């Protein structure tokens, strides 16, 4: 059975049984900085680094201490994963103007957008058939309203990551 590492997993729980979860939160298998995890023992690599700096909803990205301290994680983990040569996927928000400006669309891998998310991976696959639940609603004259209390990726991202694992397992 392939071993999967899921870095910066937050509260995520995938359907695949052999996943080691990492985050700074309690009740995770590895409680540490995602960049410090040794990837050598894992066959499939997954990461969902903090989106605070990259989110279009964050008007304080340049003044938020957390956004500034964590903004390196997205480009750094993509680069680290690419160097391993192992199947990987990294998820973050959609923000094409900022990703273009920062060169995140110039990484040596496939880049997909699906729903409200962007994915970097070295595995060619089609996620267009994976349904995405709407977790925000645009109300004219008011703006965007959250429909769910927890929208940090949630089911939409988990569904893509579960499918990604299925695709990788079916290739060998």
């Amino acid at each position: 059975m392939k071993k999967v590492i899921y870095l910066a997993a937050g509260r995520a729980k995938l359907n695949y049984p052999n996943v080691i979860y990492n985050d700074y939160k309690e009740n995770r298998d590895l409680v540490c900085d995602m960049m410090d995890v040794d990837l050598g023992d894992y066959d499939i690599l997954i990461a969902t680094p903090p989106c605070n700096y990259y989110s279009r909803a964050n008007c304080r990205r340049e003044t938020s201490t957390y956004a500034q301290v964590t903004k390196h994680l997205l480009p750094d983990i993509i680069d680290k994963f690419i160097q391993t040569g192992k199947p990987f996927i990294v998820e973050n928000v959609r923000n094409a103007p900022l990703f273009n400006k920062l060169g995140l669309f110039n990484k040596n891998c496939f880049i997909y957008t699906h729903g409200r998310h962007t994915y970097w991976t070295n595995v060619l696959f089609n996620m267009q058939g994976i349904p995405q639940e709407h977790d925000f609603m645009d109300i004219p004259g008011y703006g965007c309203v959250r429909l769910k209390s927890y929208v940090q990726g949630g089911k939409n991202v988990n569904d893509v990551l579960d499918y990604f694992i299925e695709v990788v397992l079916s290739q060998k």
Side-chain angles (χ1 to χ4, degrees):
M1 181 176 279
K2 300 279 187 186
K3 282 181 71 177
V4 177
I5 183 73
Y6 187 156
L7 303 176
R11 295 192 241 173
K13 179 77 171 134
L14 301 177
N15 289 325
Y16 188 71
N18 203 18
V19 178
I20 301 297
Y21 296 93
N22 154 260
D23 212 312
Y24 276 115
K25 298 168 177 57
E26 294 179 26
N27 300 321
R28 297 282 80 177
D29 302 305
L30 298 173
V31 179
C32 63
D33 184 321
M34 66 188 283
M35 296 306 297
D36 294 336
V37 175
D38 181 355
L39 303 175
D41 291 338
Y42 302 99
D43 304 300
I44 300 172
L45 314 175
I46 297 172
T48 55
C51 67
N52 299 69
Y53 183 79
Y54 301 99
S55 174
R56 291 180 296 183
N58 186 0
C59 61
R60 297 181 44 243
R61 80 171 41 94
E62 298 303 336
T63 59
S64 163
T65 301
Y66 185 74
Q68 289 297 310
V69 168
T70 60
K71 72 180 181 182
H72 73 95
L73 293 173
L74 178 59
D76 289 355
I77 201 62
I78 294 168
D79 292 341
K80 185 174 180 177
F81 279 8
I82 288 171
Q83 291 174 1
T84 69
K86 296 178 180 187
F88 75 84
I89 190 166
V90 177
E91 175 275 338
N92 214 277
V93 296
R94 281 180 91 155
N95 192 339
L98 186 58
F99 292 157
N100 275 322
K101 177 181 173 185
L102 299 174
L104 289 169
F105 285 151
N106 298 330
K107 299 293 182 181
N108 189 22
C109 61
F110 302 109
I111 301 165
Y112 302 112
T113 57
H114 189 60
R116 293 186 310 110
H117 307 274
T118 305
Y119 298 89
W120 291 260
T121 181
N122 59 351
V123 175
L124 183 62
F125 74 108
N126 183 355
M127 64 181 79
Q128 295 310 311
I130 302 169
Q132 299 284 278
E133 295 179 352
H134 294 286
D135 41 18
F136 285 91
M137 180 188 306
D138 188 27
I139 299 177
Y142 184 74
C144 209
V145 176
R146 183 182 297 178
L147 298 175
K148 299 178 181 184
S149 61
Y150 183 72
V151 293
Q152 184 182 352
K155 182 177 182 335
N156 291 335
V157 172
N158 280 4
D159 288 349
V160 170
L161 299 179
D162 283 332
Y163 181 69
F164 172 79
I165 292 171
E166 288 176 28
V167 167
V168 171
L169 294 176
S170 72
Q171 291 179 347
K172 293 188 179 190

